[in-house]
């Protein structure tokens, strides 16, 4: 009864991920090898050089056209956490005081993408965001992950987000990689 309940209420509601072990050979990762990692505001650079973990571009309404717009749209990183077989992949950035991005909740070949944002300034209830997912595609290099495994992936997502009575189209597209940490 427990398995049937889990399947009907949670697992079956998630989208199917594509599994492609060759994704880690995508040319974008060689480009990311030459770029410096973007760290969270609470992380500290250490003596170990870190390669950039995300080549994902986030933008709303208008695709980045200039070099500056592209740099802003690409200012994010990737982190992944495992707990009881569930994987949380975070694509975004935070300063320690505020942040935003997307969470990919992954479980045995299925996933759900949800936006996140937070700030130390408490918003008024009228400013709360509401979103509707239009398209969500995720490709990963493995079906199951353990702590310490490397995740290589690709995201292609489109959603509508409503903030203060205005609706925006939000897009995320690109490749990411990281090691799975314990949650």
């Amino acid at each position: 009864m427990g398995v049937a309940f889990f399947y009907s209420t949670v697992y079956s509601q998630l989208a199917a991920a594509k599994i492609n072990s060759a994704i880690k050979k995508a040319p974008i990762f060689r480009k990311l090898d030459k770029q410096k990692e973007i760290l969270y505001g609470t992380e500290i650079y250490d003596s170990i050089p870190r390669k950039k973990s995300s080549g994902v571009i986030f933008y709303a309404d208008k695709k980045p056209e200039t070099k500056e717009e592209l740099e802003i749209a690409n200012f994010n990183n990737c982190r992944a956490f495992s707990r009881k077989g569930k994987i949380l992949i975070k694509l975004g950035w935070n300063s320690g005081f505020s942040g935003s991005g997307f969470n990919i909740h992954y479980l045995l070949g299925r996933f759900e993408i949800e936006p996140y944002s937070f700030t130390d300034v408490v918003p008024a209830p009228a400013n709360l965001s509401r979103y509707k997912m239009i398209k969500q595609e995720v490709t990963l290099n493995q079906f199951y992950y353990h702590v310490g495994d490397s995740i290589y992936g690709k995201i292609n997502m489109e959603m509508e987000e409503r903030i203060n009575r205005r609706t925006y189209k939000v897009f995320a597209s690109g490749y990411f990689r990281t090691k799975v940490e314990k949650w």
Side-chain angles (χ1 to χ4, degrees), residues 40-59:
Y40 288 150
T42 56
E43 294 176 316
I44 299 172
Y45 279 103
D46 51 25
S47 60
I48 301 169
R50 298 180 189 208
K51 299 172 185 173
K52 193 159 184 329
S53 61
S54 175
V56 176
I57 297 173
F58 301 136
Y59 60 95

Side-chain angles (χ1 to χ4, degrees), residues 67-131:
K67 182 179 178 185
E68 292 78 22
E69 289 173 340
L70 192 57
E71 285 177 12
I72 291 168
N74 191 260
F75 193 81
N76 61 81
N77 62 27
C78 179
R79 303 291 183 262
F81 304 93
S82 173
R83 186 168 111 201
K84 297 182 182 178
K86 298 174 191 171
I87 303 293
L88 171 63
I89 303 168
K90 298 182 78 59
L91 293 166
W93 188 79
N94 81 64
S95 67
F97 300 104
S98 65
S100 65
F102 296 91
N103 288 329
I104 302 171
H105 300 276
Y106 177 77
L107 177 66
L108 302 174
R110 300 188 75 80
F111 73 95
E112 176 183 49
I113 300 172
E114 75 176 343
Y116 73 86
S117 65
F118 67 92
T119 178
D120 62 350
V121 177
V122 180
N127 294 337
L128 294 177
S129 167
R130 290 180 176 76
Y131 72 94

Side-chain angles (χ1 to χ4, degrees), residues 23-37 49-56 76-80 89-91 104 139-141 145 149-155 174-181:
I23 197 169
K24 60 186 172 184
K25 295 178 183 171
I28 184 67
F29 295 116
R30 284 192 296 281
K31 290 180 184 177
L32 293 176
D33 286 346
K34 298 173 186 171
Q35 297 175 24
K36 194 173 185 179
E37 175 66 315
R50 298 180 189 208
K51 299 172 185 173
K52 193 159 184 329
S53 61
S54 175
V56 176
N76 61 81
N77 62 27
C78 179
R79 303 291 183 262
I89 303 168
K90 298 182 78 59
L91 293 166
I104 302 171
T139 303
L140 297 172
N141 64 312
Y145 294 94
D149 286 350
S150 292
I151 289 181
Y152 287 83
K154 179 181 178 183
I155 184 173
Y175 291 81
F176 57 88
R177 65 179 174 189
T178 193
K179 286 202 183 267
V180 178
E181 301 176 41

